[in-house]
Amino acid sequence: MTSKPRMGHRAGILARALLAVITRRPLGTPPGTTAIRHSSEVRSMVMVLTLAEIPLAFLVSGILPPAGRIPHAVLELALILTGFGVLAAMARNPHTVSADRVALRTGFMGGLELPRPMVRSANQAMRTIEGRGLRRVPNEASAVACSIGSSVNMRVLLEEPVPVELGDGQSLDVDTVYISADSPEAITRALKNSAVHQ
């Protein structure tokens, strides 16, 4: 029901997503599947930080002694590529809704896949849930958040509790999932349309 990748696997996700964007590979969403983008606030912040890092790298390089410029350039290149990789991973891993499955994703920090019949509804619910990735929701014993940032704006309600592995060796019976969606209306509409085709 869930996936929470380890650090090495996350780096692979970033690299593959960046390569897919560079080579302009199509997203490959199957027919009958609706893709919904997420994490617009985080994307904007990462974009600003990544673009700001480029001129900063040149400024710092001009201050460093010649011996330190190559290691600094390697470090800066890694930082900038990581930033663009994060952006690519979020763009390449949207939420998806089909008649069979609902995949709620964070981009590169795992996600949650549910059979479509298990998803009852989704409604707007603006709130802040500390942390990132797939995690417990304080004061809600049967809820998890699945987002790359702490801000969520949608609550997905399940027909009945389903067991979810959180990556800490523990399982939680979940009936509510909080997510971030760039267009709450799009995910609500996709769920309604997919219900018609079940």
Side-chain angles (χ1 to χ4, degrees):
M1 285 287 177
T2 180
S3 62
K4 191 168 185 178
R6 293 191 177 120
M7 190 62 73
H9 185 60
R10 288 178 183 169
I13 292 171
L14 299 184
R16 286 190 298 275
L18 185 57
L19 183 61
V21 169
I22 291 170
T23 59
R24 298 184 179 186
R25 193 179 314 150
L27 193 57
T29 305
T33 299
T34 302
I36 299 105
R37 292 177 66 117
H38 57 82
S39 311
S40 59
E41 290 182 4
V42 175
R43 284 200 320 269
S44 298
M45 181 183 67
V46 172
M47 177 67 81
V48 169
L49 291 174
T50 302
L51 293 178
E53 192 66 31
I54 296 171
L56 183 62
F58 284 102
L59 288 172
V60 173
S61 181
I63 298 169
L64 290 174
R69 289 179 184 165
I70 291 178
H72 175 258
V74 170
L75 175 64
E76 289 290 354
L77 182 61
L79 284 172
I80 292 165
L81 287 177
T82 298
F84 284 122
V86 168
L87 293 168
M90 286 188 279
R92 301 281 308 175
N93 293 283
H95 303 311
T96 56
V97 177
S98 70
D100 299 320
R101 301 204 67 76
V102 175
L104 306 172
R105 299 193 174 104
T106 63
F108 66 97
M109 301 188 76
L112 181 62
E113 289 200 17
L114 301 161
R116 172 61 190 88
M118 291 298 300
V119 179
R120 184 170 76 223
S121 62
N123 52 51
Q124 293 192 44
M126 299 288 295
R127 63 181 293 184
T128 299
I129 302 169
E130 291 303 318
R132 56 179 85 72
L134 187 62
R135 59 202 184 275
R136 297 175 187 272
V137 176
N139 304 319
E140 289 191 47
S142 59
V144 293
C146 184
S147 63
I148 196 168
S150 58
S151 294
V152 296
N153 63 350
M154 292 290 292
R155 177 174 51 220
V156 178
L157 301 174
L158 308 184
E159 291 289 353
E160 60 185 54
V162 297
V164 171
E165 295 290 333
L166 295 176
D168 57 4
Q170 296 183 351
S171 179
L172 180 67
D173 288 336
V174 171
D175 62 14
T176 305
V177 184
Y178 290 94
I179 63 169
S180 167
D182 289 3
S183 173
E185 296 79 12
I187 199 163
T188 302
R189 187 167 53 249
L191 287 170
K192 286 180 180 176
N193 291 342
S194 64
V196 170
H197 295 98
Q198 285 183 23

